[in-house]
């Protein structure tokens, strides 16, 4: 689901970029098990800061950075620095039905996106489908208790089908062959984590 005006202001601003570059990126990087992730997918890339982080901090040679909102993709293309042009490709795509082959990516990134989908289980299924066996998922997501908060509900627009608690997310990932390998919880508010796609179906 596209962002409303308040969410756009929260997302497309320099403070969010600073947090992504200097807090979330390094924190998730430490949770990963590999030195480099050559081919990466970012879902819900917004204005594209995450894709830069993936190149700089995760050693990606190529990032396919996607967003369901074509306006966000246009914004990301415009602000992309020239040194990233060879490595980052932006394209509009819905994480619930990705136009990508099975087992293509070394890593998939969701910087606050799965909770925006109408059916988060569909998103998890698609993420697992396009992830190589042994590939890793990096994610940062708010949890159900936070999403159900009155203020959050009043000022932001999120589909009901995007709400989950930690145990539900962990279970659904495992059902789709991804085992959580590292996690940092901000109480019941948000979760930062990584998971690895297992070799055989579980
Ligand atoms: C909270 S913003 C996060 C943007 C960026 N990742 C960041 O951290 O600044 C959520 C983004 O997910 C996108 N989005 C929402 N639903 C989506 C879907 N079904 N598939 C792909 N992207 C989606 C929105 O358009 C928005 O850009």
């Amino acid at each position: 689901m596209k962002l409303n005006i308040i969410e756009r202001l929260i997302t497309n601003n320099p403070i969010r970029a600073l947090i992504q570059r200097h807090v979330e990126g390094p924190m998730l990087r430490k949770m990963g098990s590999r030195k480099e992730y050559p081919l990466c997918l970012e879902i819900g890339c917004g204005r594209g800061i995450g894709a830069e982080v993936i190149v700089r901090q995760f050693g990606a040679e190529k990032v396919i950075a996607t967003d369901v909102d074509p306006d966000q993709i246009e914004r990301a293309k415009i602000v992309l620095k020239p040194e990233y042009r060879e490595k980052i490709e932006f394209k509009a795509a819905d994480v619930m039905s990705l136009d990508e082959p099975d087992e293509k990516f070394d890593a998939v990134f969701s910087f606050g996106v799965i909770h925006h989908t109408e059916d988060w289980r569909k998103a998890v299924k698609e993420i697992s489908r396009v992830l190589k066996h042994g590939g890793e998922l990096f994610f940062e997501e708010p949890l159900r208790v936070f999403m159900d908060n009155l203020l959050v509900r009043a000022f932001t627009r999120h589909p009901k089908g995007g709400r989950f608690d930690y145990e539900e997310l962990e279970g659904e990932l495992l059902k789709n062959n991804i085992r959580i390998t590292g996690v940092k919880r901000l109480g019941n508010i948000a979760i930062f984590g990584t998971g690895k796609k297992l070799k055989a179906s579980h």
Side-chain angles (χ1 to χ4, degrees):
M1 180 184 272
K2 289 184 187 178
L3 306 182
N4 72 11
I5 180 78
I6 294 172
E7 292 166 297
R8 272 176 192 254
L9 289 173
I10 295 170
T11 304
N12 298 329
N13 80 73
I15 296 169
R16 168 77 192 130
L18 213 73
I19 293 172
Q20 229 174 338
R21 287 189 180 117
H22 300 290
V23 182
E24 289 176 5
M27 185 165 71
L28 290 174
R29 184 69 192 89
K30 279 191 202 141
M31 292 183 190
S33 70
R34 291 204 216 163
K35 246 182 157 176
E36 282 166 357
Y37 301 84
L39 181 58
C40 295
L41 172 74
E42 186 188 6
I43 59 160
C45 64
R47 69 168 182 143
I49 305 298
E52 288 179 16
V53 168
I54 297 164
V55 170
R56 282 188 86 93
Q57 301 182 21
F58 291 79
E61 282 156 22
K62 181 89 190 172
V63 181
I64 310 286
T66 61
D67 200 290
V68 77
D69 183 348
D71 292 345
Q72 290 281 61
I73 291 295
E74 283 316 305
R75 184 174 292 110
K77 282 183 182 166
I78 289 166
V79 300
L80 184 67
K81 296 185 191 119
E83 65 262 36
Y84 293 107
R85 281 193 192 135
E86 294 285 301
K87 296 197 167 185
I88 300 175
E89 181 189 339
F90 289 109
K91 59 181 187 184
D94 186 333
V95 58
M96 292 183 293
S97 63
L98 293 165
D99 184 19
E100 298 290 350
D102 295 355
E103 294 169 30
K104 175 172 173 178
F105 296 99
D106 297 296
V108 176
F109 292 77
S110 171
F111 291 104
V113 181
I114 297 172
H115 73 284
H116 273 280
T117 60
E118 284 81 2
D119 184 346
W120 68 274
R121 289 187 170 85
K122 250 190 194 169
V124 166
K125 195 172 176 190
E126 271 298 83
I127 289 169
S128 176
R129 184 184 66 75
V130 300
L131 199 53
K132 284 179 186 167
H133 290 284
E136 286 170 40
L137 165 67
F138 294 89
F139 58 91
E140 170 251 301
E141 296 292 337
L143 296 170
R144 186 193 295 280
V145 171
F146 179 73
M147 299 310 300
D148 282 344
N149 178 283
L150 258 181
L151 282 178
V152 175
R153 288 206 342 248
F155 292 106
T156 65
R157 195 174 57 142
H158 291 92
K160 278 221 164 69
R163 289 178 200 172
F164 45 81
D165 59 31
Y166 172 66
E167 288 71 23
E168 284 173 315
L169 180 63
E170 184 187 33
E172 194 64 23
L173 285 170
L174 198 54
K175 197 172 134 192
N176 285 279
N177 242 1
I178 298 174
R179 187 192 300 281
I180 290 191
T181 49
V183 72
K184 285 195 196 305
R185 270 181 84 151
L186 210 62
N188 270 334
I189 296 175
I191 177 175
F192 301 82
T194 182
K196 186 175 269 197
K197 182 161 170 192
L198 305 170
K199 289 227 157 23
S201 76
H202 204 72

